[in-house]
Amino acid sequence: MQSKMKESYPILEVDNLFASTDNLPILKGVSLTVYPGEIHAIMGRNGCGKSTLSKIIAGHPSYNITNGEIKFSGENINSLEPEERAQSGIFLGFQYPIEIPGVSNLEFLRVSTNARRKFLNKEELDTFDFEELVKEKLELVKMDQAFLSRSVNQGFSGGEKKRNEILQMALLEPKIAILDETDSGLDIDALRIVASGIKKISNAQTGIILITHYQRLLDEIEPNYVHVMADGQIIKTGGSDLAVELEKKGYEWTDNFLQQT
Amino acid sequence: MEIIEKIKNNKLIDNPTEIQKICLHKLQSSPLPNPKSELWRLSNKSKFSNVLDYSVNQKGPKFDMPYPKNSQSTIRLTIGEECHIKLIKENYSIQQLSEDELDKYINKQISCFDQNENWSDLLNLSLSCAKNILGLKINGSKIPPIEIFSHASSNSLNAKTLVIFLEKNCNIELLQVNLGKDKSSLSQSTFLSLKENSSVNHGVVSYGEEGSNLLNSINVIQQKNSEYNLGSLHFKFNYARFEIRIKQSVGNAKTNIKGMQITKKDEQISTYTKIDFNGPNGFLDQINKSLADDKSHAIFAGSIIVPKIAQKTDASQLSRNLLLSNLAQIDTKPQLEIIADDVKCKHGATISQLNEEELFYMRTRGITLAEASKLQLSSYFKEIISFIPVSKDRWDLLDKLLNEN
């Protein structure tokens, strides 16, 4: 299966990426390539640079790329604005989805969806047509329509916020989705709903990067590759069995690994 | 300052009325407010003098209404135009106050005026000729919404005065629109008297053009069991000053205020409020928002006075401010003066910028920075705009604001 994937072109290529914020180096040479249909998991201790990597790929203005490049569909996107990256098909699912008081979830989802549709040369949807589309997608994450009339993420529980992220992913139909600790704060049932939603959305053309601390999400969504990050680098890559090994051993060995190198 | 010179030399008005004489006399002894007083010290001196650089225009030139009349039932009046109103319907009546009633009321007000605190009203009443004073007595129920327009014409200073007596058990929706033309000054003073069990949903929307100035004051006296709700919006003035003075004369009254001022370029807009609880069981919920961009300056100074007689007062005053530029300036000072010992009073102020993380979140969903900022500002505006009565116009106004910001 993997050799078949490699016949196509990569969706995302991160090549020897160094990045910093406030002159503090965070990423120290990360390389990662994702082909269509692949699921990658990135694991590692808190503060190892996992979330920073996701934010930099999404274009967070607080981080500077000091070396290396990010290519999306073969194009260097280092200098693209976050909205340009999103419109072209990069989706970041936030670890802590942001609350935006006063902005209705429905309107926010509609404006976002239309921004992506415009990029894809698809017709933009009016409120009526969009409501039809969003109702269909709500089913995927078992969300109630009442969430649409509330302000974006305001007053949502942790699980509802994560489901709202997956709803956005379903509407935006990205080429690559980076899901930053989507499993954190979820109970077992909510985790299954979210995992099932992700599986239904992903397809042979989509790449997925799951950032997680735990094996439990990877029990629901089996990755093709597991990468272990420490001190701003990917120090080991393996198959799904690496996640099982990590769960057993913990992250202490990464300290030893760094000391040896 | 042409006007001040004329006041000093007693050459401002030909054939002044009794009220004008009294006010001019008060101004002659001290024609300008004390620049060191708390109420005036932050006022930009050159802009303030610009307000007084125009000649007084007592005529009421025609102007284009900015809004279509949204309903036939709305009563629309323009101060300064020949508006004689006498509506006596089955459920309600709206009649003009007689000259005697007006003189008596205004004289009573003037007798309590403080030179600094009421300087804007003193100037207004010195300049307002009889045709620019609109006095209404409103009675009854099921009263249609009322819209009152005041405007200043280019290269002149116009003074307009509105006096409304709201009789017992009477509820009204009142929208006041103050418009400044290019290079003009508008002095607008409003006096509202709310009798027992009456209520007003009062909207004040003021905006100008390049180089317009505004001195706008509202004086409200509330009798017991009355409710006064004020939603206000001021923007696009070279210099604007909005003064709100509310007195709950015997307590047991309710006041809600939601106001916003938007400043851009080098504009200065300030809001001064004084809420005086003169009896027990008074209620106030006030929020004032400022949004300052470019090199502009927004000011808020609020004062809540709770004397010993005002036990069981429940008052809240919050100032929320957004700085959109490194060169913009916001001064805010919510203030409580409490003597009574059994009260619930709180005040607070926040100054922040557009939330970077909210912006980034929206941008990662493909929304451009400009659109994301607009969505954020829209949510910031909504709380105030939705409080301004007369539904259709408020949304037209929101669009106008968003397109200009």
Side-chain angles (χ1 to χ4, degrees), chain B residues 210-252:
Chain B
E210 288 291 323
S212 336
N213 305 298
L214 174 72
L215 295 173
N216 184 19
S217 84
I218 291 180
N219 302 278
V220 182
I221 296 177
Q222 290 186 250
Q223 296 296 331
K224 69 176 179 183
N225 299 324
S226 64
E227 180 170 337
Y228 178 67
N229 302 313
L230 172 65
S232 70
L233 187 56
H234 288 75
F235 63 104
K236 224 175 171 186
F237 285 100
N238 167 55
Y239 174 92
R241 185 179 168 92
F242 183 35
E243 301 168 3
I244 304 167
R245 283 175 286 274
I246 295 171
K247 187 170 189 175
Q248 296 189 358
S249 58
V250 288
N252 289 293

Side-chain angles (χ1 to χ4, degrees), chain B residues 263-267 292-297 325 327-329:
Chain B
T263 54
K264 296 178 84 175
K265 298 178 186 168
D266 68 339
E267 298 163 356
D293 202 354
D294 303 324
K295 295 177 181 173
S296 66
H297 187 188
S325 139
L327 299 173
Q329 188 182 341

Side-chain angles (χ1 to χ4, degrees), chain B residues 20-250:
Chain B
Q20 284 180 312
K21 277 183 197 164
I22 296 167
C23 292
L24 281 166
H25 181 70
K26 284 198 173 223
L27 282 178
Q28 267 164 353
S29 57
S30 173
L32 286 168
N34 181 354
K36 289 180 183 168
S37 79
E38 199 56 34
L39 294 168
W40 291 91
R41 69 179 180 87
L42 293 170
S43 221
N44 182 306
K45 286 169 189 64
S46 103
K47 285 181 182 292
F48 174 66
S49 81
N50 189 235
V51 175
L52 304 168
D53 271 344
Y54 299 109
S55 303
V56 179
N57 183 349
Q58 298 192 338
K59 291 176 187 166
K62 292 276 177 200
F63 79 110
D64 298 326
M65 282 283 179
Y67 307 123
K69 201 171 168 180
N70 66 346
S71 155
Q72 285 305 311
S73 63
T74 302
I75 296 165
R76 176 172 277 191
L77 302 166
T78 303
I79 304 179
E81 285 184 5
E82 296 298 320
C83 57
H84 296 290
I85 180 166
K86 188 174 182 182
L87 279 173
I88 300 177
K89 303 279 182 185
E90 192 183 339
N91 299 311
Y92 69 89
S93 67
I94 301 175
Q95 297 181 76
Q96 278 186 254
L97 292 169
S98 68
E99 218 174 303
D100 276 356
E101 284 174 309
L102 264 177
D103 284 358
K104 201 174 152 192
Y105 186 76
I106 291 176
N107 266 318
K108 198 176 162 192
Q109 299 297 310
I110 295 169
S111 66
C112 317
F113 275 2
D114 169 88
Q115 191 75 17
N116 287 317
E117 194 180 308
N118 302 93
W119 184 87
S120 303
D121 288 326
L122 276 175
L123 181 78
N124 177 276
L125 294 167
S126 300
L127 304 178
S128 254
C129 60
K131 72 184 276 269
N132 285 330
I133 300 179
L134 176 63
L136 300 174
K137 189 194 288 183
I138 303 174
N139 206 347
S141 61
K142 295 181 185 167
I143 299 161
I146 301 169
E147 294 179 353
I148 296 179
F149 287 79
S150 293
H151 66 286
S153 46
S154 291
N155 298 307
S156 60
L157 187 152
N158 291 70
K160 311 282 172 90
T161 311
L162 174 67
V163 180
I164 293 183
F165 290 178
L166 200 62
E167 298 299 314
K168 281 183 184 175
N169 305 314
C170 184
N171 308 319
I172 60 164
E173 281 204 343
L174 171 68
L175 179 69
Q176 250 184 295
V177 183
N178 302 313
L179 301 166
K181 279 279 178 196
D182 184 24
K183 292 180 185 156
S184 67
S185 295
L186 175 65
S187 160
Q188 168 66 49
S189 286
T190 302
F191 299 86
L192 293 176
S193 165
L194 277 69
K195 299 272 168 61
E196 282 177 43
N197 297 310
S198 63
S199 80
V200 181
N201 289 336
H202 189 186
V204 176
V205 178
S206 307
Y207 61 93
E209 293 176 1
E210 288 291 323
S212 336
N213 305 298
L214 174 72
L215 295 173
N216 184 19
S217 84
I218 291 180
N219 302 278
V220 182
I221 296 177
Q222 290 186 250
Q223 296 296 331
K224 69 176 179 183
N225 299 324
S226 64
E227 180 170 337
Y228 178 67
N229 302 313
L230 172 65
S232 70
L233 187 56
H234 288 75
F235 63 104
K236 224 175 171 186
F237 285 100
N238 167 55
Y239 174 92
R241 185 179 168 92
F242 183 35
E243 301 168 3
I244 304 167
R245 283 175 286 274
I246 295 171
K247 187 170 189 175
Q248 296 189 358
S249 58
V250 288

